[in-house]
Structures are given as C-alpha cells and as structure tokens.
Amino acid sequence: MDDARPQALRHGRAALAISFFAQGALFALLVTRIPAIQDRYGISDGLLPVFLAAVPILAGLGSVGTEQLVKRVRPSVVLRWVQPVVALVLLGLGAGDRMWAAAVTLALFGVCVGGLDASMNMLGVSLQREYGRSIMLGFHAAYSLGGIVGASLAWSGAHWHVSLVALYGPAVLVLIPLTLVASRWYRDAADTADAAGTAAVAGQKETQPVVMRLLMPLCLVMAFAYIGDSTVSNWSAKYLQDTLHSSEQLSTVPYAVYMVTTLLGRSVGDAGVRRFGAVAVVRLGTVVAMAGFAVVAVAPGAWVGMLGFTLLGFGLCVIVPQTFAAAGRLFPGASDTAIARLNVFNYVGFLVGSPLVGALGDAWSYRGAMLVPMVLVGATLHYAPSFAAGPAGYGVGHERPSTVDVG
C-alpha cells in the first residue's frame, strides 16, 4: 500500500500528478479556443492548418532536444522550468494581436510542450519502477482531469465572452506557483532509495543502446493510438452533425463524454494492470476501441454514435500510458532516451490522424473513414507482446515484488 512506502516516494507521485494535471489543463485551454485565437489574429482558414501542423512538428523536435538535454541535466530540472514557460507562452498567445506574435508563441508552445511531455513521462516511468507496480495510468488520469477542467474553463470563457487574456491570466497565475511548489518533490531515477538498484541502472545507462528496431513496435502503437485520439477530437462533432444529423448542441457532447470516459478508464486501469498484466489490459482496450469505431461507423443515429465515442474513450485511454511504461521496461538502462524517441510518435499520430480522416471522408465517406483508424488501432493486437518486454520478473505480465515496501 502507498502508506507503507517512503514518504518521499509518495510525495514524488503526488507532485508528478499535479504536473500532469496542469499540462492537461493548459493544453485544453489552447486547443478548445482555436477559433477565438484565429479570430484574434485574423488567421485565414487556409493558413490555420499550417499554424496547427507546425505545433506537433516543433513538439517532436522539442522531444528530440530533450533526449539530448537529459544527458546533462535531470528530467526533473527540465520539467520544473519548462512547465512555467509553457504557461507563460499561452498567456502571451492570449495577449498578442499581431500575426508574428501568433507564429512565435505557437512555435515556442510546440517546442516546450515536446520537452514537457517527454520529461513528464520520463519521471513517470522511473517512479513506476521505484513503486514496483503500475501507477502510470494514474498520471494520465490526472492529465485527463486537467483537460476536463481546462475545457470547462474554455467553455465558460466562450459562453460569457471572456477575452483570451482574461481567461488565460488567472489559470496561469494558479498553475505556475502550483507546479513550481510541487516540483520540489519530483523524483528522478537517481533519487531511488534502493542504492543497489540505482547502481545497476546507472551501469546499464552507460552501456545499453536504444535499438530502434526493438522500439519501433511501440512507436507504431503510439502513432496509431493518437490517430484514433485525434479522430475523436477533430471529427466527432462534425460526424455527429453532418453524418448522423444531430443538433449543433448535441454535436459538442461526444468529445466531452470521450474525455470523461478516458478519465474513468485511466482511474481504474492501474488496478487492471496489477491484476491481469499490461498485455491483457492493452488487448482489451484495443478490442473496445475497435468496437467503438465500428459502432460509430454503422450508427443509425446520434445516440448510437455517442455510444461508439463512449467506447472509444474506455478503449484508447489505456494504450498510451502503457506504451510509455513498456518502453521503460524494454530499455531499463536507457528509459529516458527511449521515452523521448517514443514521444515523437505521439505527434506523428496527431499530425496524420486529422487530415487522413478528412481526406478519406471527402473522397469516400465519413462512415468509411472511421474504419481506417479502427484498423490501425487494431494493429496493436499484433504488437501486444511488446508490452510484456522487460527484465526477468518485471513487466512480463503481473507486477514484480516491490523492493520499497515496508512492513
């Protein structure tokens, strides 16, 4: 139990959950107010996709840069300082009114988010290793909760016609001090209480290379999962309204339901991993996600479509956190490098998913287009054995005995 673990370990877990929550809120405050940002800066419909595509591309570069940076400084140092920068950049985006300001702030946001995502998940994987049991889904549940809070604030801002700077300002004033205080308790792999284990990991870190041939199955799973996620976030409203003929008001509901089910699934997912193992949980999540896409594709009306998007939330929510965890198990002596490289495919999936579905929908049909992410996500079943990779006794199904349990 958590209360039987060292206090520093429990504090590190709570602190990192706060970081995940803050990032979820900040990202939601950006993506849910894209139309308002477009209006503020006078960005044309033709130019907007260029701005939006630049963010994940630069985030990928930020993740690659973080791989090199953490060879010199700890991931906790990167996270401690890059998260406030992300918040300040968001505030700057809300305060500006020139096209160049939009370009600069979105570029900075992309680069910094890449570093933030990579360093957060590096700490999450190393902390899970210390715990000796699955806790990674809990961190991503905190991210989902932050996304719900951020999206709710954004909805309130839009409903009450609050300016972007007035919306972002209070959020930044709360989140920056909160994350800076929490950062005092971040724990890196080098902070482990097990000195012998630290020495072993440190020795591996000097000699263990990250072999992309071995990491690539997890990279593909990451990309496919984000293709599925971006399909929901970018096309659920349009699909419900244009294909299933829902009202405009009802069309806004599926993404909110998707976020809530993502939170619920991640909140209980760690318990499932502890009992049944990562491979079984990922396989179940994949099957549920495929069923969700199938229901959406054949739905006769809006409410059945809503059921499909609900299933998607429960299915997709477990895949990404477990992919990060599997990379850490696959390369225990070079997990930071593996996670930084894996994180790039987060943005690949995000970049590919939305235009892929849009192009197929225009050329074929949006019902048919929903089957493509279903097939891609379904490929996870083929790669599921990769989630069992790891040293003997750890990550091969159920949990290993913890070396930090007391009493």
Side-chain angles (χ1 to χ4, degrees), residues 48-128:
L48 182 62
V50 177
F51 276 83
L52 297 182
V55 174
I57 291 172
L58 290 169
L61 294 176
S63 188
V64 172
T66 302
E67 175 188 341
Q68 302 304 316
L69 186 58
V70 296
K71 295 176 182 178
R72 297 170 176 81
V73 299
R74 293 182 174 192
S76 63
V77 176
V78 177
L79 179 57
R80 176 177 297 120
W81 298 114
V82 78
Q83 193 152 44
V85 173
V86 168
L88 290 173
V89 168
L90 183 66
L91 180 58
L93 181 63
D97 58 6
R98 302 289 183 90
M99 188 73 75
W100 66 264
V104 170
T105 50
L106 283 172
L108 283 173
F109 189 90
V111 172
C112 292
V113 160
L116 197 160
D117 286 345
S119 57
M120 275 197 317
N121 284 289
M122 288 173 187
L123 293 182
V125 167
S126 64
L127 195 59
Q128 176 167 285

Side-chain angles (χ1 to χ4, degrees), residues 146-280:
I148 292 171
V149 171
S152 300
L153 290 173
W155 180 89
S156 299
H159 181 75
W160 298 105
H161 305 290
V162 176
S163 69
L164 288 174
V165 70
L167 172 66
Y168 293 159
V172 168
L173 287 174
V174 170
L175 292 177
I176 287 181
L178 180 65
T179 54
L180 284 175
V181 170
S183 70
R184 295 177 55 195
W185 290 279
Y186 291 161
R187 284 180 65 82
D188 295 278
D191 295 326
T192 178
D194 184 349
T198 301
V201 170
Q204 286 179 304
K205 192 166 187 176
E206 295 174 0
T207 60
Q208 184 182 25
V210 174
V211 181
M212 285 305 297
R213 177 178 58 83
L214 299 178
L215 186 63
M216 188 53 66
L218 295 175
C219 293
L220 292 175
V221 169
M222 179 70 77
F224 296 155
Y226 271 98
I227 287 174
D229 181 83
S230 66
T231 298
V232 179
S233 60
N234 289 295
W235 293 104
S236 58
K238 180 177 176 61
Y239 186 84
L240 231 70
Q241 191 169 354
D242 294 355
T243 303
L244 301 183
H245 310 296
S246 75
S247 66
E248 182 177 359
Q249 184 175 2
L250 185 60
S251 71
T252 64
V253 175
Y255 186 61
V257 171
Y258 173 76
M259 288 197 298
V260 171
T261 53
T262 296
L263 170 62
L264 293 175
R266 287 173 171 172
S267 297
V268 301
D270 281 320
V273 174
R274 293 167 199 158
R275 179 161 185 175
F276 302 108
V279 174

